[in-house]
Amino acid sequence: MITYNSESIKMPRLKRRETSVWIESVAATYDRRIGEIGYMFVDDEKILEINREYLGHDYYTDIITFDYDERDVLNGDIVISVDTVRSNAEQFGKSFDDELHRVIIHGILHLCGINDKGPGERELMEAAEDRALTLLKLLSDKQ
């Protein structure tokens, strides 16, 4: 089950059912199933607070993923700063919706075991994000 909530901000417009089907489809490409995934959309100040409290990091970020996986079943909490998503979209010349979907799936890809901090890993993550976004477009075109 995938849940979508917000704290201290207006919930971003999402086609929740379509987004959930997409997330499940992406997970399946990695031979994973969705268990309990909770998305929380917050502002920059809240994600900074979470980053400090749980990770000991004193900086803003677009996403924090908490992994509670059980073998091939994905379980986790994914916290997304809508403020940072918006500023990243502007910086990279993307639409807010495109950047939001990229970040939404970024967390799922982390839960699938894809990292982005080591040498060459960033490129692998970006390629996986691009494949997932292509799948979203294909699923959207079918509806």
Side-chain angles (χ1 to χ4, degrees):
M1 179 161 124
I2 302 171
T3 59
Y4 304 92
N5 296 290
S6 65
E7 182 177 312
S8 306
I9 62 161
K10 183 180 174 188
M11 181 70 153
R13 286 184 309 131
L14 277 177
K15 295 178 181 174
R16 294 181 193 197
R17 185 167 297 153
E18 180 180 301
T19 301
S20 295
V21 167
W22 171 55
I23 290 167
E24 291 167 357
S25 298
V26 171
T29 67
Y30 293 92
D31 297 320
R32 305 291 173 84
R33 292 180 295 117
I34 297 296
E36 298 286 330
I37 300 292
Y39 282 94
M40 177 63 70
F41 298 95
V42 301
D43 62 15
D44 271 349
E45 293 312 310
K46 183 64 179 178
I47 207 157
L48 179 61
E49 176 187 317
I50 293 167
N51 218 1
R52 287 175 176 158
E53 182 176 343
Y54 293 98
L55 302 176
H57 299 160
D58 192 24
Y59 54 82
Y60 298 98
T61 187
D62 52 357
I63 184 170
I64 299 173
T65 304
F66 295 98
D67 186 345
Y68 315 124
D69 285 356
E70 298 171 11
R71 297 185 191 189
D72 66 338
V73 179
L74 302 183
N75 294 288
D77 290 319
I78 299 172
V79 184
I80 295 174
S81 170
V82 173
D83 294 338
T84 300
V85 168
R86 187 171 285 110
S87 62
N88 285 350
E90 291 170 12
Q91 179 182 347
F92 300 125
K94 304 285 184 183
S95 74
F96 173 78
D97 287 345
D98 285 349
E99 188 63 19
L100 181 62
H101 283 105
R102 180 176 296 280
V103 174
I104 285 170
I105 210 61
H106 183 92
I108 295 299
L109 293 170
H110 272 308
L111 295 178
C112 289
I114 300 174
N115 297 311
D116 59 355
K117 300 294 185 211
E121 290 179 336
R122 172 44 94 196
E123 293 80 7
L124 293 174
M125 175 62 85
E126 287 175 0
E129 290 169 351
D130 289 344
R131 284 190 304 274
L133 292 168
T134 298
L135 179 58
L136 176 61
K137 182 167 178 10
L138 291 171
L139 290 171
S140 296
D141 289 347
K142 285 184 179 179
Q143 294 183 356

